[in-house]
Amino acid sequence: MSLKLRLFRVAVLLGLFVLAGILLPKMGPDAPGRYEGVVVPVTSVAVPQPSSVPTSTVAGPPPGFPSMEYAPPEIEVPDGDPIPIDTKYGLSYTVPGDWRFHRGGVAGWASGEESVRFGDIADYDYDYCPEHRDGATKADTGITGRNGIDIPAAAFDVSRSAELIFRDEPNDAVKIEYSAPIEFEIDGAPAVRYTAKASNLARKFDCDPIAASLDIVATQGYSNAAVAVFMIVSYEQLDGSLSRNTIDQIVSTLRRT
């Protein structure tokens, strides 16, 4: 498994440890420009095409746009029941009951001046690969916000963060293919989805994946950012990897809080 993927796991654990000592932890990152959380430093450089690499957004929300200092309280459900997750962007989503929701957890990837960060994260099948001292997961979800950009552009921009997530260095052996945009609606608001499929991932252990996917959905944000961007990273060709139907089902749960 790549160095960035291992650092990603460390970032999740560090984020949870630090935020556990805060009385009222934040459920996800602030709007761009006010981000607080764990950012993973990565020594490699992203793909060298500026137009296809995600960039940090520093614009704030429109004047008078609603803001939320803390996400809504965590919803308690019986063990094994689907887990609803309310976010500070005014959107909610649900993951299956065998996932873990990390209250206040933040995770991200960075390379040079390029970065992508998500909060309100959940993961699936943590520590499935015992060789990894910091744990490994078969899938992760999260959400972030964008301002000063429209929904289609935000979906395109963040989908290209696959270059940060899956590559160790430019021009490595990893192959990434991007879908065409899919337009639909979430509670009457426009939404755009991209899927990036990565293959020939670098492996350190036999249990590491050789393929993965990144699904990005951008839609209207209702607090903290004008556009909310949801992601699912899924590691493939492993026993128990998410099916494409399960990924689609999680996407279908996106809704206004």
Side-chain angles (χ1 to χ4, degrees), residues 133-215:
R133 294 176 58 189
D134 54 354
T137 60
K138 293 179 182 175
D140 304 276
T141 57
I143 195 164
T144 190
R146 291 291 185 269
N147 291 298
I149 189 171
D150 63 19
I151 289 170
F156 178 88
D157 182 56
V158 181
S159 71
R160 268 52 188 180
S161 64
E163 308 291 345
L164 292 175
I165 295 170
F166 300 129
R167 291 194 189 278
D168 286 333
E169 57 185 47
N171 302 317
D172 62 13
V174 176
K175 182 179 180 181
I176 301 178
E177 298 179 342
Y178 295 93
S179 72
I182 298 174
E183 298 181 359
F184 61 110
E185 291 187 351
I186 296 175
D187 286 348
V192 177
R193 177 179 178 180
Y194 282 94
T195 299
K197 302 281 287 184
S199 58
N200 204 30
L201 300 181
R203 303 176 76 199
K204 182 176 181 180
F205 303 112
D206 289 342
C207 52
D208 288 339
I210 59 174
S213 64
L214 170 68
D215 283 83

Side-chain angles (χ1 to χ4, degrees), residues 3-12 40 107-109 140 235:
L3 173 62
K4 284 182 287 187
L5 182 55
R6 297 196 303 275
L7 288 174
F8 170 64
R9 308 303 173 204
V10 173
V12 172
V40 183
W109 297 261
D140 304 276
Y235 300 99

Side-chain angles (χ1 to χ4, degrees), residues 31 60-62 65 89 145-149 151 219-228:
F65 195 80
Y89 298 105
R146 291 291 185 269
N147 291 298
I149 189 171
I151 289 170
T219 188
Q220 180 177 336
Y222 299 95
S223 178
N224 293 65
V227 179

Side-chain angles (χ1 to χ4, degrees), residues 57-70:
T57 304
V58 297
F65 195 80
S67 63
M68 185 183 299
E69 186 67 17
Y70 304 105

